[in-house]
């Protein structure tokens, strides 16, 4: 198991947890909780494969990750509620790890399948935020990522930098750390992208 | 025409009707009604093919089913309103036939395309509930299947049993009946999956 | 650059503008604005390719169109607000050009990939309205096209006529003008499809 796999597992778990928590908030039932957890964790990669043109068979080789996610969500039901408060503190960090790992791997995936830098940018963003968008749509919410603080922007930055030809592993690890740091700074300083006020 | 085809036609019609009825409730126009009817009836199979990696060309061989569905929705407009009350009584049964037929066929489809039992489980669920989820999202509703009574669970059960290697036709027909019975019992006794109350 | 390409560019820009304007209305941030603009402009073609079974690689050859759209949305932010009022008057026309060009090209795309007239009809409609439906879902709205005035109907008409074998370029240009005219008449006379009132 290499380092990227560990990051991916951390990211997958963080994304699955965020899906499960949204399902709790919406009072969805057991099936809804597993569905939102899996869709948040795996939906972004699935959309990326479809849109960029990577065979979805690649998706189906993640059996161990499916099982880990399933067990984790199941354990969740037996945890005392106060432990969930830790999510406020640590959840943002794990989610940032997931965003960064997913964005970089999304861009690298697109690189092997498709030459276009646009495909790499889109793959980075879709892998990073696609699951969260599906989660919010299935919860009947406006997608958080379209109006909240800066999130997709860092995935896009990752996609652009990979797209410009960042090949060396050390550079990729630096990018991985950079995206996490930028995301944590975003949350801490409440950075937001500007809105545009053009009343029609 | 074999027995499965008859079940599939019953299921397709039941699903199309449920889409049309949601469109009536949302005061959608003619185009909205046909759209919701077709999406509910065919959307699950389409999503399954895309996600599991079955060529969508298989989808396009259902011409006669498209025509039947179109004619049926058209006839619907000329039916007196009181007939729709029958839907309350019989709709649940036809819908259960559809759920069962779609889940089993979805799992069998995945079996021919993909070895993974996860793919079969997902294909059963997607075929059974994917159309209904699309219907609800396009109607601006929270997907019924994520918070209401037990529905997807029986599709999942079908996927698991097929995935464990249920090959004999008699066993498959038994499973078909079992899913219908479980679904009808669910509606009659108002079985629900537990929700999980973890206030964050 | 042939005539169709010019129509496509006009349509793409009109669709991107309508996406950006919905994002303004929903107070989405910069990322949300670009996302809704791109999804409205390109989402319909992407869905069509996936559903009809055209390789998505075709999608990725539109690099210059991506760049034009990106620059245009960026310019938009620096325009004085009063200019947006012009959208009320001219936006409907440009949008009609887009609808017509997208519907015809969608149907022609499907013709090269798939023999079925159903595929051509669906491709025309999906290309014409798919982006708008995604835009509305991501904005947390009920899809306009399912309940508002006649819009998808004209795309469907285009798909049927192409599907019946309209091959000659002059006929195709006539169809192009016809769809625009019908759409403009629809807006002017507020033509609506009937709703169906079947209280359940």
């Amino acid at each position: 198991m290499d380092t990227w796999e560990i990051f991916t597992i951390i990211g997958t778990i963080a994304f699955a947890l965020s899906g499960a928590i949204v399902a709790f908030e919406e009072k969805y039932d057991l099936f809804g909780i597993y569905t939102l957890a899996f869709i948040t964790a795996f939906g972004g990669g699935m959309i990326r494969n479809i849109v960029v043109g990577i065979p979805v068979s690649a998706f189906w080789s993640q059996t161990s990750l499916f099982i880990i996610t399933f067990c984790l969500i199941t354990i969740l039901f037996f945890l005392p509620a106060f432990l969930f408060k830790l999510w406020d503190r640590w959840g943002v960090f794990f989610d940032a790890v997931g965003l960064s790992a997913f964005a970089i791997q999304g861009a690298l995936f697109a690189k092997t399948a498709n030459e276009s830098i646009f495909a790499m940018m889109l793959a980075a963003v879709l892998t990073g935020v696609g699951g969260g968008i599906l989660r919010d749509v299935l919860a009947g919410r406006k997608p958080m990522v379209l109006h909240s603080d800066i999130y997709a922007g860092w995935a896009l930055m990752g996609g652009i930098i990979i797209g410009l030809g960042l090949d060396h592993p050390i550079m990729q690890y630096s990018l991985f750390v950079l995206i996490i740091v930028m995301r944590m700074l975003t949350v801490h300083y409440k950075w937001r992208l500007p809105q545009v006020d053009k009343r029609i």
Side-chain angles (χ1 to χ4, degrees), chain A:
Chain A
M1 188 183 294
D2 69 8
T3 330
W4 281 116
E5 283 182 62
I6 292 169
F7 296 150
T8 305
I9 292 173
I10 293 173
T12 304
I13 291 173
F15 279 25
L17 272 171
S18 90
I21 285 172
V22 168
F24 293 161
E25 291 172 358
E26 296 290 335
K27 304 207 177 305
Y28 281 1
D29 65 16
L30 263 191
F31 178 75
I33 295 166
Y34 282 109
T35 302
L36 255 63
F38 270 86
I39 282 215
T40 313
F42 298 102
M46 174 57 82
I47 294 181
R48 175 204 61 213
N49 284 15
I50 293 167
V51 168
V52 176
I54 302 166
V56 290
S57 57
F59 180 83
W60 292 105
S61 58
Q62 301 172 293
T63 306
S64 55
L65 210 46
F66 297 153
I67 294 173
I68 291 171
T69 306
F70 180 82
C71 295
L72 186 106
I73 301 297
T74 307
I75 290 170
L76 215 62
F77 299 136
F78 300 100
L79 291 181
F82 79 87
L83 272 179
F84 284 78
K85 290 199 198 304
L86 291 176
W87 178 256
D88 280 348
R89 197 176 301 172
W90 287 97
V92 172
F93 174 70
F94 289 132
D95 188 78
V97 173
L99 174 68
S100 186
F102 276 33
I104 292 174
Q105 292 200 297
L108 293 174
F109 247 112
K111 199 170 195 170
T112 63
N114 188 314
E115 293 302 303
S116 158
I117 186 173
F118 292 100
M120 279 180 252
M121 286 161 54
L122 187 62
V125 172
L126 284 178
T127 320
V129 312
I133 289 180
L134 287 178
R135 175 198 65 205
D136 290 343
V137 167
L138 290 183
R141 302 176 174 189
K142 292 187 190 179
M144 180 81 73
V145 76
L146 299 179
H147 59 81
S148 188
D149 53 10
I150 305 178
Y151 190 97
W154 306 125
L156 184 64
M157 181 187 74
I160 293 172
I161 293 178
I162 300 277
L164 293 174
L166 193 81
D167 277 326
H168 196 290
I170 288 180
M171 298 295 283
Q172 289 177 358
Y173 282 115
S174 308
L175 178 61
F176 175 66
V177 173
L178 176 66
I179 294 177
I180 296 174
V181 169
M182 297 309 288
R183 175 62 194 156
M184 296 306 287
L185 290 175
T186 301
V187 174
H188 191 257
Y189 291 107
K190 299 193 168 54
W191 288 343
R192 298 173 65 94
L193 286 172
Q195 295 176 328
V196 180
D197 192 5
K198 306 276 187 195
R199 269 175 248 283
I200 311 299

